[in-house]
Amino acid sequence: MTALHSQTLTELASGLKKGEFTSVELTQVLLDRIAAHDDKLNAFVTVTASAALATASRADAARVAGIGGALNGLPIIHKDIFCTRGIKTTCGSKMLENFVSPYDATVVQKLADAGAVVLGKSNMDEFAMGSSNETSYFGPVKNPWNPECSPGGSSGGSSASVAARFAPAATGTDTGGSIRQPAALTGTVGVKPTYGRVSRYGMIAFASSLDQAGVITRSSEDAARLLGVMAGFDERDSTSIDQPVPDYLASIGDSIKGLRVGIVRQHFDAGLEEQTGARVKEAIAVLESLGATTVEVDLPNLDMSVPTYYVVAPAECSSNLSRFDGVRFGYRADDAEDLLDLYCRSRGEGFGDEVKRRIMTGTYVLSAGYYDAYYLKAQQVRQLIADDFRKAFADVDLIAGPTTPSPAFKLGDKVDDPIQMYLNDIYTIGANLAGLPAMSVPCGLVDDLPVGLHLVGAHFNEETLLRCAHQYQQQTEWHKACPEAFK
Amino acid sequence: MSLDKDQVRHIAMLARLKLTDEEYAISVQKLSKIVDFVDQLSAADTTGVVPMAHPLDAAQRLRPDVVTESNERDRYQENAASVSAGLYLVPKVLE
Amino acid sequence: MSAAGSNSGWEVVIGLEIHAQLATTSKIFSASSTAYGAEPNTQANLVDLGYPGVLPVLNKEVVRMAALFGLAVNATVARRSVFARKNYFYPDLPKGYQISQLELPIVEHGEMFITDADGNEKRIGITRAHLEEDAGKSIHEGLDTSSGIDLNRAGTPLLEIVSEPDLRSAKEAVAYLKKIHTIVRYLGISDGNMQEGSFRCDANVSVRPMGQEELGTRAELKNLNSFRFIEKAINLEVERQIDRIEDGGTVVQETRLYDSDKDETRSMRSKEEANDYRYFPDPDLLPVEISDEYIEAVRESMPELPVAKQSRFVDEYGLKIDDAEILTASRALADYYEAVVEATGATAQIAANWVIGDLAGALNREGKDIGESNISAADLAGLVSRIHDNTISGKIAKQVFEAMWDGEGPADEIIAAKGLKQITDSSAIEAVVDTVIADNPEQVAEYKAGKDKLIGFFVGKVMQETKGQANPGQVNQILKDKLSS
């Protein structure tokens, strides 16, 4: 039998069902791994060992009674952006260092109802603002493939955990690439569903019109399994879409023969590291070998996506983060002289540099005299970008390309240059601006560091993405590659 | 177009952020870079383009006018730094 | 100093922003109760508190209420309206932004008619009415160096009704405000309670030399929480502005607070600094879309409005127009009146006299609303019927009314218990008349000599003898007959 920590969610589900091991045994194995190795990665903010074992024990009883849910007894990790009742939810910030949520996010609730066992809360860039996990108040997460490198961000703790076999799956959130970029840089699968597919209720907001919850796993099949539970309408989220959730697992085994795969010329321009580009092309060749046809598509406004994002996202964040004022929750500065001092110091001391920078950028682009030139203009360009995708999807079923311009970069390398950091999301941001489903699939190594194949689908077409990725994974072994130190 | 120190001070005040002198210096430099970067947008031809506020073309759903919440004040106030007699406390607000 | 009311040479320009709290059960974006007067923060849930991760979902009722208002004031009800965030920091604003509407409000281009000083009908434009959430409350009393924040009111739905600057005096402003106040209560979309803050008003006031086209610089008056204060505050502000300009100064654009204790307005500079609300469409809420069918359904449900009701009262009940206006001032009063009429039959004017007269007087005396009347419409109808069928005289009826008000029971019981039934038996009255004539020969002689006025003396005597219970008409007739024989 493969070691428990190396098994996928699907394999573990089968093992539990057959009684090969119990959820308590499995949970203990993973908790031991986390205890033994997380000091090398800093992937966790909170490990919920005793709660996890208690849940696992209930799951075991439920299984015996034949009443367990779809994920009964299966271990997962939550990004620390999801509110968890009775457990600290820090969002990677000093502002929420001691915040204990009085309620569960819908995603947390749904996974709990399905019987999932939560091992803990994963480290992340502060308020999900970052692409390297270096903005976390709790220190950077390290890449299991090379501890000198970033695991990507903002869901870096989730991606590192899944890559290091701390858990078979983790939740994440993606505003401009925060699931897919870390997945690519750690050799894991990351799925950002269609905007509105998964409830945002209880997910601490960064940029409300872009944020979407998703999953990080090792196989597309596992992602389909988890997503099927997380997705669906939520009456507490006005932007949640009331559409039935298909059974993603039902069609995952179907052939991709005849699938029209769009290749964006601009994706392979300057800016893409050569070896990374080569791995992606090889992956596309695999899809062709499976019967997919490639079609060249044009996204003429692609180069505008990063500047558009860096107006829209900060604008929304500047408003979303106004609620952190030291009064009802969160960090409160001591001995405030007056109300203004309380506000300015609580926020000035409670937020880190990148968060403050984004709040100020957002404040600026919305302020009198600049709104039209920046915010309104960005909303218009956003429309152009969405139109580009709309046109492209008239001819293709999905678009394939690189997830990131290069493999994982060294921690500290880009921290001083916000623009360089922002450009890391150049291929992923478009899907957020247009609200499209997208995923990253491991497709090879460059100098012993993983890179990812990026797939983007039409609205609510997660099924095609998951099927394509699954078929690819039937032909390749990249998703089974494990960093040497975590075998 | 870059930002100067006064603009950054004004923005920080609007955003209620207290910055140290050192943070101000760095902010002026980094925010200017970001603003210069997003200035690229001015090159896009957006004549007649409808601004896009939402990724999906959907309408607001309406909730029935029913009260389903009850008093959970004590639980909700556990996260507050300063409360008295059920009130959240702030330094005296002068009217 | 210019005396109030004599602002000769100056034209006053006023626009009002009215905040009407909508009479929903739950809040605009959350399922918390909107009930007034609860213990602090017991009606503030996670959404109202702006907890991390929570999201707003719009209350169906507020859309209906706004649409109803829009139709009632001949406005355009937007088929698509958008919520925006108004960003600013204040302790009573938990999220650091207020959800409101800016560019695409739900109601636009409405109108309301008032009667101006010359008695002419005047149109006041309603620029817009938009939906927004109310803020909480800061409490200062009893706390030393702190202010306390109560967020029970945070998230209560408001309809902000903005007028054109069409009002030309404090009186017009009050007349307009009263019209809006009446309308929202008629529609049942707001209780209009000014004391509890469910109907509030800010006034934008400016002055300009007569004949000048360009508007003067305006001041925004806040905290106007009664009709009386609004009139006083506007007049004070007008005087202040004219004095200032006449003294060679200028008016600055600012927010001023009316202090009813000191009877003055004063600048609120603290609120002025760096007002940059950075409005943008709220990404947590989608555009509100309303269909034509929906608008029609709302129109169908529209109750009869004051103007229509007033003319119906004149046509149907034959009331004087002034009486009809008073009776239709509130839907509750009009409903009460109609209930009285319905229960009494063909005595509409008598019923009107009693509702407007004694009943209104008694309510006023005790500071009560028609809904809190000691006498039900059915009971008042009982009294009116007894007047109508001559069981009691109007004078006796006043006595019965007071007894009813004091809770002594319905009219018939009181009349029976106190023996107040009117004497209509001619022979009984004749007997008393005969006695009176016999007892006052001197006056009889004078009367017969032509002193007609003495008839009152004889009537008085007869009424005295009958303790007021004789039918006055009959007494008069019998006296005249007997004295002229």
Side-chain angles (χ1 to χ4, degrees):
Chain A
M1 187 176 79
T2 317
L4 289 182
H5 67 260
S6 295
Q7 296 189 24
T8 63
L9 209 57
T10 305
E11 289 161 349
L12 292 170
S14 151
L16 281 171
K17 202 172 174 188
K18 289 181 196 149
E20 288 170 8
F21 49 89
T22 65
S23 177
V24 169
E25 285 162 4
L26 168 61
T27 302
Q28 193 59 61
V29 164
L30 297 178
L31 288 171
D32 290 347
R33 262 182 86 74
I34 294 164
H37 299 293
D38 191 44
D39 58 343
K40 298 185 205 110
L41 296 181
N42 193 30
F44 281 84
V45 177
T46 306
V47 176
T48 50
S50 55
L53 288 168
T55 311
S57 159
R58 280 197 302 276
D60 285 333
R63 190 183 59 253
V64 169
I67 53 169
L71 299 171
N72 190 52
L74 294 170
I76 58 161
I77 297 162
H78 281 305
K79 184 177 181 179
D80 209 14
I81 198 168
F82 291 101
C83 286
T84 43
R85 184 169 175 167
I87 300 167
K88 269 200 307 184
T89 299
T90 68
C91 224
S93 182
K94 178 183 179 185
M95 181 58 86
L96 292 177
E97 190 177 3
N98 299 308
F99 176 72
V100 177
S101 171
Y103 76 107
D104 276 331
T106 299
V107 161
V108 170
Q109 185 65 54
K110 284 190 167 210
L111 291 171
D113 290 348
V117 174
V118 179
L119 301 176
K121 309 280 301 278
S122 67
N123 199 351
M124 56 181 281
D125 277 301
E126 184 179 7
F127 284 99
M129 297 172 200
S131 307
S132 68
N133 232 291
E134 290 165 287
T135 72
S136 170
Y137 175 66
F138 304 98
V141 179
K142 286 156 195 154
N143 194 319
W145 290 86
N146 179 344
E148 287 179 14
C149 289
S150 162
S154 66
S155 311
S158 286
S159 70
S161 293
V162 174
R165 276 60 179 169
F166 287 167
T171 55
T173 61
D174 190 314
T175 306
S178 277
I179 286 175
R180 293 159 289 156
Q181 183 254 18
L185 303 191
T186 56
T188 52
V189 168
V191 182
K192 178 204 94 77
T194 308
Y195 183 85
R197 178 84 282 186
V198 177
S199 169
R200 292 190 296 116
Y201 187 82
M203 190 176 119
I204 298 177
F206 159 17
S208 312
S209 79
L210 302 162
D211 294 344
Q212 182 62 202
V215 297
I216 293 176
T217 58
R218 292 196 291 270
S219 76
S220 181
E221 189 179 13
D222 282 4
R225 189 174 291 275
L226 209 53
L227 197 59
V229 173
M230 282 166 66
F233 175 67
D234 182 4
E235 60 181 15
R236 286 176 298 187
D237 175 0
S238 295
T239 62
S240 159
I241 303 298
D242 195 358
Q243 271 201 19
V245 180
D247 179 356
Y248 298 123
L249 289 168
S251 59
I252 206 165
D254 295 353
S255 156
I256 59 164
K257 199 162 189 299
L259 192 77
R260 296 166 304 165
V261 176
I263 308 295
V264 182
R265 193 180 350 100
Q266 292 94 333
H267 279 167
F268 296 92
D269 286 351
L272 177 63
E273 187 271 325
E274 199 189 323
Q275 285 301 302
T276 306
R279 293 299 91 78
V280 171
K281 283 176 182 161
E282 286 159 21
I284 292 168
V286 172
L287 299 182
E288 287 180 307
S289 75
L290 290 167
T293 55
T294 55
V295 182
E296 190 163 297
V297 294
D298 196 22
L299 296 177
N301 294 290
L302 180 76
D303 58 340
M304 285 289 171
S305 63
V306 182
T308 300
Y309 177 86
Y310 278 96
V311 170
V312 174
E316 293 182 9
C317 111
S318 70
S319 177
N320 281 336
L321 270 59
S322 291
R323 69 192 63 208
F324 300 101
D325 59 5
V327 178
R328 296 164 317 285
F329 41 74
Y331 177 81
R332 182 184 179 104
D334 289 332
D335 307 320
E337 285 167 27
D338 54 24
L339 183 67
L340 186 66
D341 189 46
L342 175 75
Y343 283 162
C344 294
R345 283 208 292 120
S346 296
R347 293 167 59 78
E349 295 163 17
F351 291 135
D353 291 342
E354 181 62 20
V355 170
K356 282 188 269 195
R357 196 144 53 231
R358 303 233 189 158
I359 290 174
M360 287 196 285
T361 305
T363 303
Y364 176 71
V365 300
L366 288 174
S367 66
Y370 300 99
Y371 181 89
D372 287 0
Y374 292 109
Y375 184 74
L376 203 64
K377 184 81 179 177
Q379 298 262 58
Q380 289 177 308
V381 178
R382 184 176 184 182
Q383 187 77 268
L384 293 178
I385 293 166
D387 283 344
D388 287 350
F389 278 108
R390 214 165 292 143
K391 281 176 206 147
F393 283 115
D395 300 324
V396 299
D397 300 308
L398 55 80
I399 291 170
T403 307
T404 59
S406 64
F409 47 89
K410 293 258 168 73
L411 288 164
D413 261 12
K414 300 189 181 186
V415 78
D416 283 328
D417 187 347
I419 305 302
Q420 276 313 304
M421 189 68 93
Y422 296 174
L423 285 170
N424 219 261
D425 295 333
I426 183 152
Y427 305 124
T428 50
I429 276 174
N432 298 86
L433 291 172
L436 300 165
M439 72 187 286
S440 180
V441 191
C443 70
L445 297 173
V446 174
D447 298 332
D448 292 328
L449 287 170
V451 291
L453 170 71
H454 190 226
L455 303 174
V456 183
H459 285 142
F460 297 101
N461 206 356
E462 286 82 3
E463 230 176 333
T464 304
L465 298 183
L466 293 163
R467 175 161 58 96
C468 180
H470 179 70
Q471 291 305 317
Y472 172 78
Q473 291 188 328
Q474 300 306 296
Q475 302 298 314
T476 55
E477 298 279 311
W478 298 117
H479 60 293
K480 294 183 184 163
C482 180
E484 205 48 50
F486 295 91
K487 281 197 166 153
Chain B
M1 199 214 75
S2 289
L3 299 178
D4 60 32
K5 200 166 176 178
D6 283 346
Q7 278 177 297
V8 173
R9 262 186 209 289
H10 175 66
I11 296 165
M13 179 45 114
L14 276 178
R16 298 292 188 270
L17 291 170
K18 182 166 185 161
L19 303 185
T20 62
D21 286 344
E22 193 193 354
E23 283 178 312
Y24 266 118
I26 298 168
S27 295
V28 169
Q29 184 217 332
K30 288 196 174 175
L31 285 175
S32 291
K33 260 191 171 177
I34 295 168
V35 169
D36 288 344
F37 175 71
V38 300
D39 266 338
Q40 288 178 65
L41 289 173
S42 61
D45 181 5
T46 52
T47 319
V49 177
V50 179
M52 177 175 168
H54 284 285
L56 296 175
D57 190 20
Q60 178 61 35
R61 190 163 30 80
L62 303 174
R63 172 180 64 77
D65 181 24
V66 180
V67 175
T68 56
E69 294 285 337
S70 49
N71 174 22
E72 299 225 41
R73 181 177 75 187
D74 294 347
R75 215 159 65 75
Y76 296 163
Q77 290 191 337
E78 280 172 19
N79 280 305
S82 181
V83 289
S84 171
L87 297 165
Y88 293 96
L89 297 187
V90 296
K92 195 98 177 164
V93 181
L94 302 169
E95 291 262 324
Chain C
M1 204 177 135
S2 66
S6 68
N7 308 316
S8 62
W10 294 95
E11 186 177 35
V12 177
V13 177
I14 304 161
L16 295 188
E17 290 171 13
I18 300 166
H19 288 90
Q21 182 183 314
L22 296 175
T24 55
T25 313
S26 66
K27 292 185 179 178
I28 182 166
F29 298 119
S30 87
S32 295
S33 170
T34 54
Y36 180 80
E39 284 294 301
N41 291 310
T42 55
Q43 287 175 182
N45 76 16
L46 296 169
V47 173
D48 313 319
L49 295 170
Y51 249 79
V54 298
L55 297 167
V57 183
L58 184 61
N59 186 336
K60 196 182 229 165
E61 266 298 272
V62 304
V63 174
R64 185 189 68 82
M65 288 175 169
L68 196 60
F69 176 80
L71 294 175
V73 297
N74 285 328
T76 309
V77 178
R79 298 306 190 265
R80 188 169 182 275
S81 63
V82 167
F83 282 100
R85 294 184 183 177
K86 178 181 183 179
N87 294 284
Y88 65 96
F89 286 89
Y90 207 67
D92 62 12
L93 188 70
K95 298 186 295 299
Y97 59 84
Q98 180 194 29
I99 305 177
S100 180
Q101 297 188 307
L102 181 70
E103 276 175 12
L104 295 169
I106 190 158
V107 170
E108 273 185 298
H109 315 305
E111 61 186 10
M112 181 57 83
F113 292 90
I114 61 165
T115 307
D116 69 11
D118 303 326
N120 298 319
E121 189 172 72
K122 179 174 175 179
R123 180 189 182 275
I124 307 300
I126 294 173
T127 318
R128 57 186 280 151
H130 65 254
L131 289 166
E132 63 182 25
E133 56 180 348
D134 206 346
K137 266 188 209 163
S138 305
I139 289 153
H140 312 291
E141 295 78 32
L143 295 160
D144 213 10
T145 56
S146 301
S147 291
I149 310 300
D150 173 9
L151 296 170
N152 280 348
R153 203 180 61 186
T156 298
L158 299 178
L159 187 66
E160 179 172 339
I161 305 158
V162 183
S163 84
E164 292 288 314
D166 288 346
L167 301 157
R168 290 291 171 271
S169 68
K171 279 213 164 12
E172 284 188 12
V174 171
Y176 165 78
L177 189 65
K178 282 187 170 164
K179 288 273 186 180
I180 297 286
H181 189 243
T182 303
I183 278 276
V184 296
R185 286 181 307 145
Y186 256 81
L187 298 173
I189 64 172
S190 176
D191 67 16
N193 190 324
M194 295 176 95
Q195 251 129 39
E196 292 177 4
S198 36
F199 194 81
R200 317 195 283 269
C201 172
D202 300 337
N204 289 308
V205 179
S206 67
V207 298
R208 62 182 168 191
M210 273 305 176
Q212 179 182 300
E213 190 84 4
E214 193 193 334
L215 289 172
T217 306
R218 65 187 164 85
E220 186 181 3
L221 297 181
K222 285 206 178 281
N223 200 26
L224 309 176
N225 55 12
S226 83
F227 292 117
R228 199 161 58 89
F229 289 162
I230 287 156
E231 190 163 349
K232 286 179 100 171
I234 291 175
N235 282 330
L236 275 171
E237 180 57 19
V238 166
E239 264 182 66
R240 189 190 70 84
Q241 291 187 10
I242 292 174
D243 285 350
R244 187 160 259 261
I245 300 170
E246 286 180 346
D247 291 348
T250 52
V251 175
V252 285
Q253 187 165 338
E254 62 181 349
T255 303
R256 297 182 71 84
L257 191 74
Y258 175 66
D259 183 334
S260 58
D261 294 334
K262 294 183 186 156
D263 199 28
E264 61 174 30
T265 68
R266 62 168 186 274
S267 182
M268 291 174 73
R269 281 186 214 289
S270 60
K271 276 226 163 182
E272 291 301 294
E273 49 104 15
N275 263 355
D276 184 345
Y277 293 126
R278 290 159 284 135
Y279 278 99
F280 74 106
D282 191 332
D284 286 333
L285 291 159
L286 298 167
V288 179
E289 287 178 6
I290 298 180
S291 66
D292 291 348
E293 294 74 37
Y294 181 86
I295 299 274
E296 279 322 301
V298 172
R299 201 191 297 280
E300 295 276 309
S301 75
M302 176 83 61
E304 186 181 30
L305 295 177
V307 174
K309 205 181 272 285
Q310 199 178 309
S311 29
R312 182 169 62 80
F313 278 17
V314 171
D315 296 345
E316 199 171 307
Y317 302 129
L319 296 185
K320 286 177 280 186
I321 184 122
D322 290 354
D323 289 349
E325 189 176 349
I326 295 169
L327 288 170
T328 53
S330 85
R331 194 166 146 189
L333 185 63
D335 288 349
Y336 184 99
Y337 169 71
E338 290 208 275
V340 174
V341 173
E342 206 163 295
T344 57
T347 52
Q349 187 64 51
I350 303 178
N353 294 345
W354 277 90
V355 173
I356 295 169
D358 293 69
L359 181 69
L363 289 169
N364 218 358
R365 194 170 65 214
E366 298 188 10
K368 284 183 169 174
D369 195 75
I370 186 72
E372 304 159 318
S373 172
N374 296 12
I375 301 175
S376 71
D379 284 348
L380 189 67
L383 176 64
V384 171
S385 298
R386 294 295 81 78
I387 302 164
H388 182 64
D389 66 13
N390 279 330
T391 304
I392 53 172
S393 67
K395 198 168 172 190
I396 292 292
K398 285 183 186 291
Q399 199 184 325
V400 178
F401 178 88
E402 289 307 326
M404 287 168 77
W405 186 264
D406 293 339
E408 292 176 31
D412 286 339
E413 273 179 31
I414 293 165
I415 292 165
K418 299 197 172 182
L420 298 173
K421 197 168 180 314
Q422 187 162 253
I423 301 163
T424 53
D425 176 354
S426 308
S427 55
I429 296 173
E430 272 177 42
V432 179
V433 167
D434 288 342
T435 317
V436 168
I437 288 174
D439 289 353
N440 300 282
E442 271 174 46
Q443 284 80 357
V444 172
E446 280 177 49
Y447 180 87
K448 286 191 170 170
K451 209 171 174 187
D452 291 353
K453 274 196 286 181
L454 276 171
I455 190 74
F457 165 80
F458 294 113
V459 171
K461 285 281 175 197
V462 175
M463 294 311 275
Q464 206 175 347
E465 289 293 317
T466 60
K467 292 181 187 134
Q469 281 167 265
N471 180 299
Q474 280 175 289
V475 170
N476 231 309
Q477 197 54 53
I478 292 169
L479 268 169
K480 277 183 184 165
D481 289 348
K482 296 220 180 226
L483 286 168
S484 59
S485 63

